[in-house]
């Protein structure tokens, strides 16, 4: 089944899970699309089975809190940042609920965490104005970059380069093998003082970069030239909430939630809005991602919703 405008418009909430007492701050699909794992401000980690459509397990990180949870390449391990006590990144085995390793170094809250799609490398960005490069096998930081402001960062789909968004006005591209030499490309954007950048993602084909903000718009740029292709707006975000924007796996569509519980979908090529879907969420949709392997997506406020298409186009 191929994603088209009509198929996207036909998506409906198939299941809602109310496992959390506070907002879900992050979730991540496993690479095979079979499970999704969420982190919440209530200090819980919930693992869902996407095929059976039910929660499988709940773990807790009461002492350190949990945010920015990401699967590693093993389906039973995750890394996540802390939002209490310290700013150490933790590497957890879901199998026996034990920490495998800690990654200390950041001095302020970690606001970006991206796992390499190809190996055990990951990068983290913090309010301490640094980006750190790590390897899951070592607790020591493998590389450190000092920046002029708050960073957001992400790997490209091949794991060869990473992008850093700095100070909500610049995107810098680094080659992983020689990032200490500085960026090989820098794209300067028009600075908008009404909002700040909250996320950065590459499309699966590597050609596009999506910049999310805590304002009422997101930007789509060309990953090679840095040109702004489209600015998408017209959704509600009056309280400057961090809303996650995502690509569909075919890189064709862009979607974001809003503070009124609706999901807005655009065609990345034409820039036209193709759908507004009502998720009946009780709060702002802070997290939104498409399943990498199956025709389903998930959205979350303090509840988690699974969506399915209702037509076979």
């Amino acid at each position: 089944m191929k994603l088209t405008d009509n198929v996207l418009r036909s998506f409906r909430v198939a299941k809602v899970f109310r496992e959390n007492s506070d907002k879900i701050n992050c979730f991540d699909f496993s690479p095979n699309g079979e499970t999704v794992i969420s982190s919440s401000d209530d200090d819980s980690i919930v693992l869902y089975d996407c095929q059976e459509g039910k929660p499988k397990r709940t773990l807790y990180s009461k002492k350190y809190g949990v945010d920015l949870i990401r699967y590693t390449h093993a389906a039973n391990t995750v890394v996540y940042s802390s939002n209490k006590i310290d700013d150490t990144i933790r590497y957890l085995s879901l199998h026996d609920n034990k920490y495998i390793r800690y990654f200390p170094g950041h001095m302020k809250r970690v606001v970006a965490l991206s796992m390499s799609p190809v190996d055990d490398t990951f990068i983290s960005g913090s309010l301490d104005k640094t980006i750190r490069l790590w390897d899951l096998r070592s607790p020591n930081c493998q590389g450190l970059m000092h920046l002029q402001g708050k960073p957001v960062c992400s790997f490209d789909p091949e794991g060869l380069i990473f992008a850093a968004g700095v100070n909500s006005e610049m995107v810098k591209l680094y080659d992983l093998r020689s990032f200490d030499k500085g960026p090989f490309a820098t794209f300067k954007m028009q600075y908008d003082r009404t909002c700040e950048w909250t996320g950065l993602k590459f499309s699966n084909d590597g050609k596009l970069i999506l910049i999310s903000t805590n304002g009422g718009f997101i930007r789509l740029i060309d990953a090679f030239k840095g040109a702004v292709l489209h600015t998408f707006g017209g959704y509600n975000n009056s309280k400057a909430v961090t809303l996650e924007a995502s690509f569909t796996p075919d890189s064709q569509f862009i979607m974001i939630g809003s503070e009124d519980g609706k999901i807005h979908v655009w065609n990345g090529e034409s820039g036209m809005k193709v759908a507004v879907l009502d998720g009946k969420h009780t709060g702002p949709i802070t997290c939104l991602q498409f399943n990498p392997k199956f025709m389903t997506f998930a959205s979350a406020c303090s509840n988690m919703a699974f969506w399915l298409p209702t037509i076979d186009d």
Side-chain angles (χ1 to χ4, degrees), residues 127-139:
L127 295 178
D128 64 13
K129 300 182 183 175
T130 65
I131 287 177
R132 287 176 181 261
L133 181 68
W134 309 88
D135 187 303
L136 283 175
R137 295 161 296 198
S138 161

Side-chain angles (χ1 to χ4, degrees), residues 216-285:
F217 68 91
I218 51 179
R219 277 210 181 106
L220 187 66
I221 69 168
D222 182 302
F224 302 106
K225 302 191 187 83
V228 176
L229 303 172
H230 296 290
T231 300
F232 303 115
Y235 57 92
N236 289 355
N237 189 13
S238 62
K239 299 188 183 76
V241 180
T242 297
L243 303 170
E244 180 178 22
S246 290
F247 287 101
T248 50
D250 60 7
S251 308
Q252 302 299 310
F253 298 94
I254 286 96
M255 48 207 301
I256 191 168
S258 61
E259 66 184 5
D260 59 8
K262 292 188 169 65
I263 290 170
H264 297 250
V265 188
W266 295 268
N267 182 307
E269 197 161 339
S270 70
M272 300 297 288
K273 188 173 283 191
V274 296
V276 179
L277 306 169
D278 193 350
K280 308 276 191 288
H281 277 282
T282 51
I285 299 176

Side-chain angles (χ1 to χ4, degrees), residues 15-21 24 42 46 48 55 279-280 282 302-305:
K15 268 197 173 154
V16 178
F17 306 100
R18 297 179 175 83
E19 307 298 302
N20 295 99
S21 60
I24 294 169
D42 65 12
V46 183
Y48 297 87
K280 308 276 191 288
T282 51
S302 58
N303 300 337
M304 169 77 85

